[in-house]
Amino acid sequence: MERILIIGSLGQIGSELVMALRKKYGNGNVFATDIKNPGEEIRNSGPFQILDVLDYKNLLHFIVRHHITQIYNLAAVLSGNAEKIPLQAWEINMKALMNTLEAARQSEAKKMFWPSSIAVFGPTTPRHNTPQLTIMEPNTVYGISKLAGERWGEYYTRRYDVDFRSVRYPGLISYKTEPGGGTTDYAVEIFFDAIKKGSYECFLSKNTALPMMFMDDAIDNTIRLMEADASKLSLRSAYNMAGISFTPNELAESIQKRLPEFNISYQPDFRQTIADSWPASIDDHIARHDWGLNTKFDIEKMVGLMLEKVKEKLK
Ligand code: NAD
Ligand code: AKB
């Protein structure tokens, strides 16, 4: 029986991943942890404990005491926030990963998931249909930490028998929990402002295309990768994962089909430079081939559901 630890479980991804894993593996077998206090849903549906991933001793102790078999480590400082505190962000992102890899090596919890990002690419990477293997010269502290993290994950798999699995998530779109300070956050904020104010001032420019994915697809595919037969995985760094690519203008037009009065204006800030260094679209055929990556949401389906759910949430 699997016993699963989720680190950083109260963020945009964790808050949904915990509930999906509890449904699948049983509430009592999915241990949610974070450095802040949970809301009712996570607290009332299964075990939760405050746990700082930077505290190695406590992390290892937790894993051994609860007979953990799998770890999902979601703790990180995202791209926008990381540019404000580069050295701390590097320290946190790398230490969070290295502590988890070491804990996996020194315990029975060999299987671990740690997300990488499209931020591993940089301004010299081919921007369209970006291949899995290509030029990678990220110029953000977040991207550098993700690229280094991928290399460490592969190293621990090869050298120490840790079963490291990862994907390069695109920007994730969801309504349950606010995004945590990234460059793709506009694609969530826009829905809340559309419903609340009827307008949105976007911090990226009109024609900045980025790869994005609806959270349900991200969660389904994350679990699919973790459940895949190890012998099928040709990559032990991180798999490209594409989703849907669109610009702020295309997203606004799709919202306007349902809310004709909605209007958008553009005031690009420091995150524009980050977005300009990332791919516009991604080639993910290796993930589709190796472990069956499969997405269900196109832009229209995603926009319809986001507007409905955000409306309900704001009521
Ligand atoms: P988030 O910022 O919403 O959540 C991160 C969680 O980690 C928070 O609940 C935070 O309290 C917790 N945390 C921070 N420091 C911690 C510590 N020292 N110990 C334990 N917990 C700590 O982030 P997210 O959007 O859920 O992203 C999760 C992971 O996925 C990150 O590695 C991120 O880089 C990656 N990712 C996210 C996206 C996206 O669009 N959301 C895209 C690509 C990659
Ligand atoms: C961010 O914008 O920092 C994240 C990511 C794509 O890694 N959403």
Side-chain angles (χ1 to χ4, degrees), residues 245-257:
S245 285
F246 53 77
T247 63
N249 182 48
E250 286 161 346
L251 182 56
E253 281 177 357
S254 178
I255 293 173
Q256 279 157 351
K257 284 187 200 159

Side-chain angles (χ1 to χ4, degrees), residues 150-203:
E150 289 187 8
R151 305 318 308 148
W152 275 110
E154 190 192 81
Y155 182 89
Y156 266 69
T157 302
R158 182 167 42 80
R159 178 89 200 261
Y160 298 124
D161 219 19
V162 168
D163 185 359
F164 175 88
R165 301 176 183 211
S166 180
V167 290
R168 294 171 181 156
Y169 282 136
L172 301 182
I173 299 173
S174 66
Y175 53 86
K176 256 186 137 179
T177 305
E178 268 181 40
T183 303
T184 57
D185 291 12
Y186 93 83
V188 174
E189 290 173 5
I190 193 171
F191 290 100
F192 284 85
D193 278 15
I195 306 283
K196 277 194 285 198
K197 306 185 204 158
S199 65
Y200 178 63
E201 185 179 280
C202 185
F203 59 76

Side-chain angles (χ1 to χ4, degrees), residues 46-67:
F48 175 85
Q49 192 172 305
I50 295 285
L51 181 70
D52 184 347
V53 68
L54 305 181
D55 178 347
Y56 180 70
K57 258 195 185 165
N58 260 336
L59 173 64
L60 186 59
H61 186 237
F62 188 97
I63 289 169
V64 172
R65 181 158 43 101
H66 294 287
H67 308 287

Side-chain angles (χ1 to χ4, degrees), residues 293-311:
L293 169 67
N294 170 23
T295 50
K296 297 193 179 76
F297 283 81
D298 60 16
I299 185 168
E300 296 305 329
K301 193 169 166 193
M302 181 273 289
V303 167
L305 194 67
M306 279 297 287
L307 287 173
E308 184 192 318
K309 295 294 182 184
V310 171
K311 228 178 258 170

